[in-house]
Amino acid sequence: MDISEAQDPMFEVWQERKRENQLMTHFQDRSKRKFEDGMSEASRLYRKAVAADSNANDQYMMGVLYYKGRGVKQSDEEALRWWGIAAARNHASSAYSMAVMHHNGRAGLPQLESDAISFAFMRSAAGLGHAKAMYNMGLMFTHGRGVAADKRKAARWFGNAANEGIAAAQYEKHLLPSRRRGGPESAARKQLGT
């Protein structure tokens, strides 16, 4: 340290702030590690409990943990596995999650096969009362994604979704009669990127 730094009162303030910041960084890193360790332990215990006494909601939540990588290593395959188990037990959100993963190409299958599987899971979720799945069934029938296009079926699914509170479904249903092959796409379809 040279003489000018020793005489500068702001230098001491700067040094104190530097020490405080180092200390805060140390405690933040330590807290983050403890939180991550706690999440890992919590997910381990949760996996053990789910395996011992499982229900569809717990299996769905395990899928969410793997999908988001919370307390476990992120894994689409494990998320699909847990959601598949829960969907087989008629869990609507699991079936919907499976449909979305296949629709988005995150299941590792060719798109044509994924579309067909996505449709099957979406139909299952919609049949179990999942409102977003009902809306997506309307889109799938409108645009022939995973199923042959059918405006009547699309209108029925949009009506069901609208009755469940999905406002965009009413809009899509209103647009159906005016749609023609090669005609303008709806704003909703452009927004979804389908």
Side-chain angles (χ1 to χ4, degrees):
M1 164 181 348
D2 72 29
I3 297 175
S4 62
E5 289 177 344
Q7 295 172 350
D8 186 359
M10 290 308 292
F11 182 75
E12 288 181 32
V13 171
W14 178 80
Q15 286 290 84
E16 182 62 29
R17 295 277 189 259
K18 183 178 174 185
R19 281 192 294 275
E20 288 173 2
N21 286 339
Q22 288 171 339
L23 192 58
M24 287 300 293
T25 301
H26 169 76
F27 284 119
Q28 286 171 345
D29 289 345
R30 191 169 152 202
S31 293
K32 183 179 178 185
R33 279 192 306 275
K34 279 188 174 189
F35 175 77
E36 289 170 352
D37 290 345
M39 284 296 292
S40 295
E41 180 64 11
S43 65
R44 184 188 69 74
L45 292 172
Y46 194 63
R47 278 194 310 272
K48 185 177 176 182
V50 168
D53 181 32
S54 63
N55 66 54
N57 286 328
D58 290 340
Q59 292 161 343
Y60 169 74
M61 289 308 300
M62 283 304 300
V64 171
L65 290 175
Y66 277 105
Y67 176 74
K68 293 184 176 185
R70 298 281 162 78
V72 294
K73 185 175 185 241
Q74 195 285 330
S75 170
D76 288 348
E77 294 81 19
E78 279 297 304
L80 285 166
R81 185 175 80 77
W82 283 103
W83 287 335
I85 293 168
R89 297 175 81 185
N90 295 323
H91 191 269
S93 292
S94 293
Y96 180 74
S97 297
M98 292 286 289
V100 170
M101 290 284 279
H102 281 279
H103 176 81
N104 292 334
R106 291 183 66 177
L109 299 173
Q111 192 60 51
L112 190 59
E113 190 176 341
S114 275
D115 285 348
I117 294 170
S118 177
F119 176 79
F121 278 111
M122 197 67 74
R123 183 179 53 209
S124 173
L128 292 167
H130 196 285
K132 287 182 183 177
M134 292 175 193
Y135 173 72
N136 282 303
M137 285 294 292
L139 290 175
M140 292 173 116
F141 275 112
T142 299
H143 306 293
R145 184 105 189 237
V147 66
D150 186 327
K151 286 185 182 181
R152 281 191 217 128
K153 289 180 180 177
R156 188 178 77 233
W157 282 111
F158 284 140
N160 292 345
N163 290 339
E164 294 294 322
I166 306 291
Q170 188 63 41
Y171 175 74
E172 288 287 343
K173 185 177 178 181
H174 174 73
L175 289 178
L176 280 174
S178 65
R179 286 203 171 120
R180 292 177 181 75
R181 280 193 172 195
E185 295 180 352
S186 73
R189 182 169 181 222
K190 285 181 185 177
Q191 187 177 20
L192 288 173
T194 59

